[in-house]
Amino acid sequence: MERRNFIKKTTAVTVLGSMGSVSGTFGREQKRMTEIKRKLGKTGFEVFPVGYGGIVSMSDGQAASNNYVAWAIDRGINYFDVAPGYQDAQEKLGNSLKSFRKNVYLACKTGQRLYEEAKKDFERSLELLHTDYFDVYQMHGLSKQEDIDRAFGPDGVMKLMIKAREEGQVRKLGITAHSEEIALKALELYDFDTVMFPLNWMMNKYSGMGTGLCKEVARRGAGLLAIKPLIHRHWKDGSERENSAYPKAWCKPIDTFTDKPLALAALKYSLQLGPDILIPPGDFKSFFFAVDHIEEILASPSLSREETALLEKEFDLVKSYPFFG
């Protein structure tokens, strides 16, 4: 067996095996945290502060996805987000959520910019996810002016999104973006209900990435979802990624097994920027860590002097590896 596949399979077994079952947690008594909820902007949705990114269900098989989702539901997670571009994630997550659909918020996306292509994405997503509506449907991965021009043009995806909302197939509309400038331009053109954006300690310290967008989203009252909160840096090369315990992550996550203080500080940093939900990188280990520690983070959300110093020291080590331009 190739080393990267061995790592992927044994890591999933190790995590789930350590849990003992979907209701156990690394030898600790299972904590139920269903009462921890936050408002997702002005959507009216009450959500657990950590969301389930669909990549967690990707590539690990149906049984693993079922275990991940059942564990998440047991802990009170009620916001699940997925996209067509996440390989087999829609199929796996859709099957795992069948018996839970009415009790969760399900968000999906399309990376298509034109109406006809987006319609195919939309209909296929509904089919694979075994649902007849999405709680949130998002224009995915906005990064350049061309995305805006095409999406908001006469035959753009925005036409589909508004139509789906009017017909009751979508409750709320959102965007995801990797460019702060483009996200702000999209908000000028439509009052979206949610915004998903990378809010990461390293990139925020590197360039202030996300600070202005967070202020604008707060002013509008939209829901804000933070992706990449546990990312450490850019992979140094493809080999480092393929031979790591995180082959599904396109940026290197903080290793939550070996560097708990840094991981906690990184999550606190992201929360201080103002998101309603944190969505960790797409592996179960990162998701598990965020869920398992969110209670203590919310109880003491301010960065301590020691945590601030830790982030400063770590930033000096990784600032040469930004994962956005």
Side-chain angles (χ1 to χ4, degrees), residues 40-93:
L40 181 59
K42 58 186 178 184
T43 61
F45 299 168
E46 297 280 339
V47 294
F48 191 87
V50 180
Y52 188 101
I55 294 176
V56 173
S57 283
M58 185 182 88
S59 302
D60 286 353
Q62 191 61 59
S65 176
N66 293 346
N67 280 339
Y68 300 156
V69 168
W71 181 88
I73 294 289
D74 194 50
R75 294 291 288 236
I77 284 74
N78 65 342
Y79 192 94
F80 292 77
D81 178 273
V82 71
Y86 301 163
Q87 297 181 24
D88 65 347
Q90 290 189 115
E91 177 190 356
K92 298 299 185 288
L93 182 60

Side-chain angles (χ1 to χ4, degrees), residues 21-233:
S21 70
V22 293
S23 61
T25 62
F26 287 112
R28 296 170 55 187
E29 182 179 347
Q30 170 69 8
K31 295 184 297 182
R32 288 181 176 273
M33 299 186 291
T34 55
E35 72 277 7
I36 302 177
K37 294 292 186 292
R38 295 155 68 94
K39 294 182 184 300
L40 181 59
K42 58 186 178 184
T43 61
F45 299 168
E46 297 280 339
V47 294
F48 191 87
V50 180
Y52 188 101
I55 294 176
V56 173
S57 283
M58 185 182 88
S59 302
D60 286 353
Q62 191 61 59
S65 176
N66 293 346
N67 280 339
Y68 300 156
V69 168
W71 181 88
I73 294 289
D74 194 50
R75 294 291 288 236
I77 284 74
N78 65 342
Y79 192 94
F80 292 77
D81 178 273
V82 71
Y86 301 163
Q87 297 181 24
D88 65 347
Q90 290 189 115
E91 177 190 356
K92 298 299 185 288
L93 182 60
N95 290 335
S96 299
L97 279 176
K98 272 185 180 180
S99 59
F100 305 115
R101 174 66 186 97
K102 299 301 181 182
N103 300 317
V104 302
Y105 299 113
L106 180 58
C108 197
K109 312 162 183 163
T110 179
Q112 300 295 338
R113 302 300 180 228
L114 299 179
Y115 180 92
E116 291 299 331
E117 289 83 355
K119 183 179 179 182
K120 293 176 184 177
D121 258 8
F122 183 72
E123 292 174 349
R124 182 61 172 159
S125 293
L126 289 172
E127 177 185 356
L128 289 173
L129 289 158
H130 306 288
T131 187
D132 57 3
Y133 73 98
F134 292 119
D135 296 285
V136 181
Y137 198 67
Q138 301 151 105
M139 192 184 302
H140 187 37
L142 298 175
S143 61
K144 52 187 183 297
Q145 183 61 45
E146 181 185 0
D147 294 332
I148 295 287
D149 295 340
R150 299 180 76 203
F152 287 89
D155 297 312
V157 62
M158 198 64 216
K159 177 181 175 182
L160 170 82
M161 293 171 68
I162 292 173
K163 182 174 183 286
R165 185 172 190 170
E166 290 173 345
E167 294 179 354
Q169 291 180 295
V170 169
R171 297 177 66 189
K172 307 294 178 181
L173 299 181
I175 57 169
T176 84
H178 293 159
S179 164
E180 190 167 10
E181 176 187 2
I182 297 302
L184 289 168
K185 287 186 176 182
L187 288 173
E188 290 176 1
L189 295 171
Y190 189 84
D191 189 21
F192 288 97
D193 301 296
T194 66
V195 176
M196 181 182 286
F197 193 77
L199 298 178
N200 170 267
W201 68 280
M202 186 267 221
M203 287 307 306
N204 187 262
K205 292 174 76 66
Y206 179 78
S207 65
M209 183 177 183
T211 299
L213 179 62
C214 289
K215 291 178 180 178
E216 178 61 17
V217 171
R219 186 187 72 80
R220 291 172 173 270
L224 182 59
L225 304 100
I227 56 174
K228 309 293 189 290
L230 279 173
I231 291 299
H232 191 198
R233 58 167 170 78

Side-chain angles (χ1 to χ4, degrees), residues 231-242:
I231 291 299
H232 191 198
R233 58 167 170 78
H234 195 282
W235 292 112
K236 292 180 179 178
D237 53 45
S239 176
E240 183 189 25
R241 175 182 179 180
E242 298 236 343

